[in-house]
Amino acid sequence: MDSFGKVVCICADGFKGKRCKIAVTNCNTKPCNEGKCKVDDGKVKCSCGKKYMGEYCEIKVFILERKTSVFYN
């Protein structure tokens, strides 16, 4: 659970989504949200910009008055 009492799933390699039900096998499904996608050794790798983080750029980052806040989608 996160600090707001919500269940947060930690997905195994190759899966994403709120309940880890989305299989990620290539960049055609746009697994990296706002990030850049590439396949390396058969695994999808995401490169996130400044506003996102996480394995699949699924975590949005907001900078508020010199403090960094993280919000999960």
Side-chain angles (χ1 to χ4, degrees):
M1 286 197 181
D2 67 8
S3 59
F4 299 106
K6 292 184 179 182
V7 173
V8 177
C9 295
I10 310 250
C11 302
D13 284 346
F15 292 89
K16 73 173 213 160
K18 290 183 179 181
R19 300 285 181 243
C20 302
K21 293 183 178 182
I22 302 169
V24 179
T25 57
N26 60 50
C27 294
N28 293 339
T29 59
K30 298 185 181 181
C32 299
N33 297 312
E34 299 293 323
K36 294 181 181 178
C37 180
K38 73 175 186 174
V39 178
D40 187 20
D41 290 330
K43 290 181 76 177
V44 171
K45 305 277 184 175
C46 298
S47 177
C48 307
K50 292 181 181 180
K51 294 182 181 181
Y52 289 87
M53 61 187 270
E55 186 175 5
Y56 297 109
C57 306
E58 73 277 15
I59 303 168
K60 188 164 188 159
V61 177
F62 295 92
I63 298 174
L64 308 169
E65 298 180 27
R66 298 184 189 170
K67 293 182 182 179
T68 301
S69 299
V70 177
F71 296 90
Y72 293 86
N73 288 339

